[in-house]
């Protein structure tokens, strides 16, 4: 089983739609969780950290369920510019700053 | 925010040659840098952790004699792919942490013919 699993997609949604991505992680000792965005042929960029209480940043909402070892990202009012691959990233306790990346979920927002 | 540069952005080389990739932190002194590799449609995989002034720590399955890492200063780490083969063709990305945030270089796309 992969340490971090995501549905690769692609998810094709119309502009203005609300879309959600899920991610599961296998190591229950994982401490920190993030969503990164990666555009084609570019480096990943931090979208947001994920906190236990859930957190929101504009149109983006992240949720963490430690019991189910599950992380989600919700994007409201999708824009064309949201088209990218969204990477679920986990930092496991004791691993220092070593991050484990999911394969990413590809989102395509269309007119 | 912190800025990381990588050079070259892309390189095409013949099989058997060696390629050096440079990673520089432009406004931060990094004692530790990380080198990742990403194959098409796959996740970023950590290859090694580069420590300034000491030997790099390699992940399981990564050949240290093939992927030579040098972190000679607080702002520069280099990755040399020695005797590159087509299977080494990939997107190589460096990164470092500042606080809780990880900053990535723009990546180097290596194509070995």
């Amino acid at each position: 089983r992969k340490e971090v699993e995501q549905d690769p997609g692609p998810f094709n949604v119309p502009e203005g739609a609300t879309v959600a991505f899920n991610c599961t992680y296998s190591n229950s000792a994982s401490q920190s969780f993030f969503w990164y965005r990666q555009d084609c042929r570019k480096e990943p960029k931090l979208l947001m950290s994920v906190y236990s209480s859930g957190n929101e940043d504009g149109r983006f909402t992240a949720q963490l369920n430690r019991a189910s070892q599950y992380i989600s990202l919700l994007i409201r009012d999708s824009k064309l510019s949201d088209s990218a691959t969204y990477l679920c990233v986990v930092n496991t306790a004791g691993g220092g700053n070593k991050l484990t990346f999911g394969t990413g979920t590809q989102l395509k927002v269309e007119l | 925010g912190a800025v990381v540069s990588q050079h070259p952005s892309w390189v095409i080389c013949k099989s058997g040659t060696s390629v050096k990739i440079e990673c520089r932190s432009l406004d931060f002194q990094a004692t530790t840098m990380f080198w990742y590799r990403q194959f098409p449609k796959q996740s970023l995989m950590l290859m090694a952790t580069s420590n300034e002034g000491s030997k790099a720590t390699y992940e399981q399955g990564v050949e240290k004699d093939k992927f030579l890492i040098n972190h000679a200063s607080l702002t520069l780490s280099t990755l040399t792919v020695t005797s590159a083969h087509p299977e080494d063709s990939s997107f190589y990305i460096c990164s470092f942490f500042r606080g809780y945030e990880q900053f990535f270089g723009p990546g180097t796309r290596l194509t070995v013919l």
Side-chain angles (χ1 to χ4, degrees):
Chain A
R1 184 185 172 189
K2 290 180 182 176
E3 289 189 62
V4 180
E5 292 206 57
Q6 296 181 251
D7 182 338
F11 287 74
N12 298 296
V13 302
E15 201 175 15
T18 296
V19 62
F21 307 135
N22 301 321
C23 167
T24 57
Y25 59 95
S26 60
N27 191 332
S28 58
S30 298
Q31 293 279 304
S32 307
F33 309 89
F34 310 90
W35 283 102
Y36 276 75
R37 171 193 169 130
Q38 186 175 25
D39 292 287
C40 188
R41 295 176 176 268
K42 301 281 189 179
E43 76 276 21
K45 293 186 177 175
L46 179 65
L47 180 65
M48 59 196 303
S49 301
V50 186
Y51 303 119
S52 297
S53 55
N55 48 299
E56 188 174 304
D57 182 2
R59 297 181 293 108
F60 299 85
T61 301
Q63 298 275 354
L64 168 64
N65 184 322
R66 286 189 183 272
S68 302
Q69 294 178 202
Y70 169 100
I71 306 158
S72 66
L73 175 68
L74 181 80
I75 305 175
R76 289 182 299 277
D77 188 23
S78 302
K79 312 290 185 192
L80 294 174
S81 57
D82 293 334
S83 298
T85 296
Y86 291 84
L87 306 174
C88 176
V89 183
V90 174
N91 188 344
T92 302
N97 283 325
K98 188 169 133 180
L99 301 181
T100 302
F101 288 78
T103 52
T105 298
Q106 188 180 7
L107 172 67
K108 295 180 180 179
V109 182
E110 303 163 330
L111 286 171
Chain B
V3 179
V4 185
S5 71
Q6 259 184 262
H7 294 282
S9 301
W10 56 268
V11 58
I12 301 172
C13 67
K14 292 182 180 179
S15 187
T17 58
S18 293
V19 176
K20 180 189 278 190
I21 302 169
E22 289 190 352
C23 176
R24 293 181 185 273
S25 59
L26 299 183
D27 62 353
F28 179 70
Q29 293 188 323
T31 54
T32 304
M33 284 189 179
F34 302 89
W35 285 97
Y36 291 85
R37 178 169 55 181
Q38 186 178 32
F39 293 108
K41 298 191 182 295
Q42 294 189 24
S43 59
L44 270 74
M45 296 297 294
L46 180 65
M47 298 176 66
T49 303
S50 164
N51 302 298
E52 189 266 336
S54 64
K55 290 183 180 180
T57 304
Y58 289 81
E59 295 299 303
Q60 193 173 16
V62 179
E63 299 175 57
K64 61 181 174 67
D65 294 328
K66 182 169 180 63
F67 299 99
L68 302 178
I69 292 173
N70 186 292
H71 192 160
S73 77
L74 292 173
T75 59
L76 174 64
S77 177
T78 61
L79 168 68
T80 301
V81 183
T82 62
S83 186
H85 291 284
E87 58 266 29
D88 298 323
S89 299
S90 187
F91 190 47
Y92 292 86
I93 309 176
C94 67
S95 79
F96 65 88
F97 269 88
R98 189 172 75 176
Y100 291 102
E101 189 170 352
Q102 188 172 34
F103 294 91
F104 289 87
T108 297
R109 190 162 299 281
L110 170 64
T111 302
V112 184
L113 302 176

